[in-house]
Amino acid sequence: MGCFGFLKAMMFVFNGIIFLAGVAILGVGIWVKVDSGSILNFLGKIENTPAELSQVLNVGYLLIALGALLLVIGFLGCCGAVRESKCMLLLFFIIVLLVFIAEVAGAIVILVFRPLADELFTKIGTAAVQNIKKDYGKNADITGLWNTTMSTLKCCGFYNSSDFMDSPYYVDHNRQYPPPCCPGINNPCNQTVADGVTTITGCFPKIKQLIDDNTVVIVGVALGIAALEICAMAVSMILFCRIKSMSA
């Protein structure tokens, strides 16, 4: 019974982690859908964005669904182990197996269609620059969203400060750039000053660099989740077989 009890405890720990992960992902999904100042909603308000972006903006619903699914998985695994329910353990195994297969398929799709993602980002960049040149300094909502994004990410424009050239703000302020493009400088933020600030890049390069710098962490987390799922499936099947043999 010592080994059996250890497996039950491991099952409880595995699914406790899965349950907490579900809560976190569900919270992020709700935040993405509710927070009107988030980057996704910000991109959604840019005119002339590519039609493919509408699929990306549904990531909030995807996170909510994934979080809810993880909550169900965690509940089934914990209750199945504690109550020694063969039905719950088998249902848990099937759901986790389907999720694992879907994750592998999703990873393959991302690798295969990565060139399409690069093309999508190019279209988003073109639309974002056009949006800046048309509405920044004239539309209060667009101006506020860009200012919030630049202040949060410590960046300037979508690609660089030149995105603001010929914008309403640039024209009305005697060819000056917004203050986030020249942080910590009291002089007017003109072309010369902005070019001399080497610590500020565009928001898109900033996000891309952030992802590139954390690639190892992202891959490690993905592999850790996959290993956790495999261990959870193995433990659940061992418990199922053990309970089945004990009840025979």
Side-chain angles (χ1 to χ4, degrees):
M1 294 298 294
C3 181
F4 183 68
F6 173 76
L7 290 177
K8 288 177 62 176
M10 291 297 296
M11 188 70 176
F12 189 84
V13 171
F14 283 145
N15 288 280
I17 297 174
I18 291 175
F19 187 88
L20 293 177
V23 172
I25 294 175
L26 182 63
V28 172
I30 294 175
W31 171 76
V32 169
K33 298 308 299 180
V34 172
D35 184 12
S36 60
S38 65
I39 296 177
L40 293 176
N41 282 330
F42 167 65
L43 290 175
K45 293 181 179 180
I46 297 178
E47 295 181 1
N48 301 320
T49 51
E52 297 91 335
L53 184 60
S54 61
Q55 302 301 323
V56 179
L57 296 179
N58 291 328
V59 68
Y61 294 115
L62 177 62
L63 292 176
I64 291 174
L66 179 59
L69 179 62
L70 290 178
L71 287 176
V72 173
I73 291 175
F75 174 79
L76 287 174
C78 290
C79 289
V82 172
R83 300 183 59 182
E84 299 183 4
S85 171
K86 293 187 298 181
C87 180
M88 285 186 174
L89 289 172
L90 182 60
L91 184 59
F92 168 85
F93 176 85
I94 294 174
I95 294 177
V96 175
L97 178 61
L98 292 176
V99 170
F100 182 78
I101 294 174
E103 289 172 348
V104 173
I108 295 174
V109 169
I110 291 175
L111 293 175
V112 171
F113 291 98
R114 184 171 181 177
L116 293 180
D118 294 337
E119 181 181 350
L120 175 61
F121 287 134
T122 301
K123 292 181 180 179
I124 293 174
T126 301
V129 173
Q130 291 176 351
N131 175 258
I132 291 175
K133 294 184 179 297
K134 177 183 177 182
D135 292 324
Y136 187 85
K138 181 175 67 175
N139 186 309
D141 292 335
I142 296 298
T143 303
L145 286 171
W146 271 111
N147 287 339
T148 300
T149 302
M150 291 189 294
S151 299
T152 302
L153 298 178
K154 300 295 187 297
C155 57
C156 174
F158 189 83
Y159 291 115
N160 49 52
S161 59
S162 64
D163 296 340
F164 292 97
M165 294 182 65
D166 299 326
S167 67
Y169 182 94
Y170 184 84
V171 174
D172 295 341
H173 290 76
N174 193 25
R175 297 185 177 183
Q176 293 184 20
Y177 297 117
C181 296
C182 304
I185 298 178
N186 297 325
N187 296 328
C189 187
N190 54 32
Q191 180 71 55
T192 303
V193 176
D195 290 343
V197 180
T198 58
T199 57
I200 296 296
T201 61
C203 294
F204 177 68
K206 186 84 171 186
I207 295 174
K208 188 175 184 297
Q209 180 183 0
L210 182 63
I211 295 175
D212 292 340
D213 292 342
N214 293 277
T215 299
V216 176
V217 176
I218 295 174
V219 173
V221 171
L223 292 176
I225 292 174
L228 180 64
E229 291 172 342
I230 293 174
C231 291
M233 286 189 291
V235 173
S236 66
M237 186 52 59
I238 293 173
L239 284 176
F240 174 83
C241 296
R242 181 66 180 271
I243 295 172
K244 183 177 180 181
S245 62
M246 290 173 58
S247 60

